[in-house]
Structure formats: structure tokens, C-alpha cells
Amino acid sequence: MSEAAVVETGPAVEIVGLKKSFGPLEVLKGIDARVERGDVVCVIGPSGSGKSTLLRCVNLLEEPTAGRIVVNGTELTDPDVDIDAARTRIGMVFQGFNLFSHLNVLNNLMVAQRKVLKRDQKTAQEVALRNLERVGLGEKVNAMPAQLSGGQQQRVAIARALSMDPDVMLFDEPTSALDPELVGDVLGVMRQLADEGMTMLVVTHEMQFAREVADRVLFMDGGYVVEEGPAEQVISAPRHERTQSFLARVLDPTHQGPSA
Ligand SMILES: Nc1ncnc2c1ncn2[C@@H]1O[C@H](COP(=O)(O)OP(=O)(O)OP(=O)(O)O)[C@@H](O)[C@H]1O
Ligand SMILES: [Mg+2]
């Protein structure tokens, strides 16, 4: 059960007129996007287009320069909002493996449950074990992070985020630092979460995953959402020329598109 009151209607994530500048550099130039409850939205686009910045603005790791972010009815950009409380409802998994290297797997999964959610030892342990099983790593409960493969560490990071009972999971290229043979296990866990109805916003270069798992795809370029629509349509039949040339390059790296 969730500890916070949750609005049960409306989109899980709503982004309105989002802008973000770093000094003179305007990285997000007015983003409007939404993620419906239970949907998976994949964000694709070239390096530097602002995908990570967008994700980091959604849980206010970056402070937007303008615009509104609403997660499950709570406006995070409202200056009066309890941002720490709101942020516990948002799980985030990054490209790198951000486990605490001095803590074993179980304690990695328990520390924020204990400190932030104030769960007792027994409850936190039960939740941790349930989520480790969920990502197929129940037998690694006592392992140290350094004893795990990159793919296993990333699945532990996912289990840790799930242990906070998030309403929404944000993923920023969770497989791009992995050896190719480890990518499938992590994508498999993400696919399973999607099947379970988890709301997910995923930055990825895995076009097959996006096509098969995402409900909708956003293509970003130059700080704008250039194209947005059903996954199959955006990936297989993109309408915008910039989406077409980007996809031609990522689906066939030998292709020399107009901007290559
Ligand atoms: N903290 C920061 N300070 C200054 N500039 C930044 C900062 N974070 C990002 N940028 C700049 O913002 C732009 C967008 O970066 P961002 O990381 O969002 O792109 P991205 O689409 O995630 O790229 P990639 O696919 O390489 O991960 C880049 O030009 C980057 O250099
Ligand atoms: Mg990025």
C-alpha cells in the first residue's frame, strides 16, 4: 500500500512548457509530454538532444528554468510542495550502476526504505527480498556489488528502486554501459515490469525494445520533442525528416544520412 495519498485519475506524468538552461545554453526549449498510468514511453534521440536533462527535470534532480512537472497529481514545480516526499514516489535507474559499494545487496535495498520511508527492519527486508526475486536475483542477497556482473548490478539497482514502491520508474539508458550479452537480462526485467503495469519513462537506444514494449515514443532533437506517437508508427514509419535520418543511422550504422 502506498504511504501517500495518490490521485487516481489523470496522467502519471505531465510535462508542460518545460525549459532548462545551463547558463547561456538552453538545453530544453519547451517540452510538452505526458505518460498515462500503466504506459511505457520511450525517449529516443541523438546525443546531446536533452534526453537525460528531461528525465532529471522530471524528478527535480535538475531545477527547470520554466514550465510545470506534475506527477500523479502533485505539481513538483510548485514551490510549496514537499519535494523529498514527492520524489520517493519516483524510481530512477541510471546508466551507471549506482549501488553503495560498501553495502551488500540486501542493505543496498534496505537503506532508503529504512531512512526515508521509516520502514521497520522486518518489513524492509521482506520488501527487499520480494523485489530481488522479482528481478531474478534472490540468491544474491548477501553478495557485495563488486561480486556481481554489470547486468546483475543493474537489476539490483532496479530492485532497489522498486523497493520504494514507486508510482513511476524513470530509466536513463540502463543498458548502454553493459556488455552486449548482459543487455537482454536487464531488458527482460524491464519488459516484465511493463507487463505488470508499471508506468515507465525510458531513455533508450534499444529500438527493438522501444518498438515492442513502449506504448508511445518521443523523438527529441535540439531540445524539442520533434515527433511523438505510437511506438510502431514513430519507429517504423516516422513522419519527420529528422526522425527518419536519426532512425536510419541507429538502425543501420553504415547508413550515411543527410546529417551524418
Ligand atoms: N549540468 C550541466 N551543465 C552544463 N551543461 C549541461 C549539463 N547537463 C547537460 N548539459 C548539456 O546539455 C545538453 C544535453 O545534455 P543531455 O545529457 O540531456 O543529452 P542526452 O540527450 O541525454 O545525450 P546522450 O545521448 O549523450 O546521453 C548537452 O549539450 C550537455 O552538454
Ligand atoms: Mg543522456
Side-chain angles (χ1 to χ4, degrees):
M1 282 302 292
S2 56
E3 284 88 350
V6 172
V7 181
E8 297 294 350
T9 56
V13 179
E14 190 170 20
I15 300 162
V16 184
L18 174 64
K19 294 186 178 181
K20 175 64 185 175
S21 296
F22 295 105
L25 180 67
E26 189 174 46
V27 171
L28 301 179
K29 299 177 179 168
I31 303 275
D32 296 296
R34 56 197 280 158
V35 184
E36 303 295 342
R37 279 158 211 271
D39 270 8
V40 177
V41 173
C42 282
V43 180
I44 63 173
S47 183
S49 58
K51 306 180 299 296
S52 295
T53 304
L54 171 64
L55 233 57
R56 292 167 60 79
C57 282
V58 169
N59 68 357
L60 259 55
L61 284 175
E62 298 289 355
E63 192 185 344
T65 309
R68 297 197 313 136
I69 307 284
V70 183
V71 176
N72 277 335
T74 301
E75 182 181 342
L76 304 191
T77 36
D78 179 341
D80 296 330
V81 86
D82 179 349
I83 184 61
D84 290 330
R87 215 186 256 136
T88 67
R89 321 286 322 159
I90 306 172
M92 179 129 188
V93 177
F94 300 89
Q95 176 178 2
F97 324 119
N98 312 101
L99 301 177
F100 300 113
S101 58
H102 62 293
L103 296 179
N104 71 9
V105 167
L106 180 63
N107 285 316
N108 261 282
L109 268 65
M110 285 177 60
V111 63
Q113 292 190 67
R114 301 273 287 136
K115 286 201 173 139
V116 180
L117 300 182
K118 312 285 185 213
R119 285 182 178 152
D120 62 57
Q121 178 85 12
K122 182 167 173 287
T123 306
Q125 187 159 336
E126 281 168 5
V127 171
L129 290 173
R130 175 159 33 90
N131 284 302
L132 267 186
E133 295 289 347
R134 209 168 162 190
V135 302
L137 290 174
E139 80 281 11
K140 297 294 186 188
V141 58
N142 293 313
M144 297 301 285
Q147 297 170 318
L148 302 176
S149 74
Q152 290 171 335
Q153 289 186 48
Q154 198 60 310
R155 282 148 66 199
V156 170
I158 293 172
R160 182 175 61 178
L162 292 173
S163 295
M164 302 298 281
D165 289 342
D167 297 317
V168 180
M169 286 282 285
L170 310 178
F171 292 88
D172 191 356
E173 300 198 41
T175 61
S176 60
L178 297 177
D179 292 336
E181 73 271 21
L182 302 177
V183 168
D185 288 344
V186 173
L187 292 181
V189 165
M190 293 170 66
R191 188 185 293 258
Q192 173 197 322
L193 288 182
D195 290 343
E196 290 168 12
M198 177 63 73
T199 307
M200 294 161 56
L201 182 58
V202 183
V203 174
T204 187
H205 289 301
E206 299 286 342
M207 292 305 142
Q208 195 184 341
F209 174 85
R211 182 189 280 142
E212 291 174 9
V213 179
D215 295 284
R216 302 186 73 79
V217 167
L218 300 183
F219 171 68
M220 284 184 68
D221 196 9
Y224 293 102
V225 174
V226 171
E227 181 161 355
E228 192 271 336
E232 183 63 31
Q233 183 254 301
V234 174
I235 294 175
S236 299
R239 298 196 172 123
H240 199 288
E241 184 277 323
R242 278 150 76 189
T243 321
Q244 290 165 6
S245 67
F246 170 76
L247 284 166
R249 273 181 283 134
V250 293
L251 295 174
D252 176 8
T254 60
H255 174 93
Q256 295 294 306
S259 57

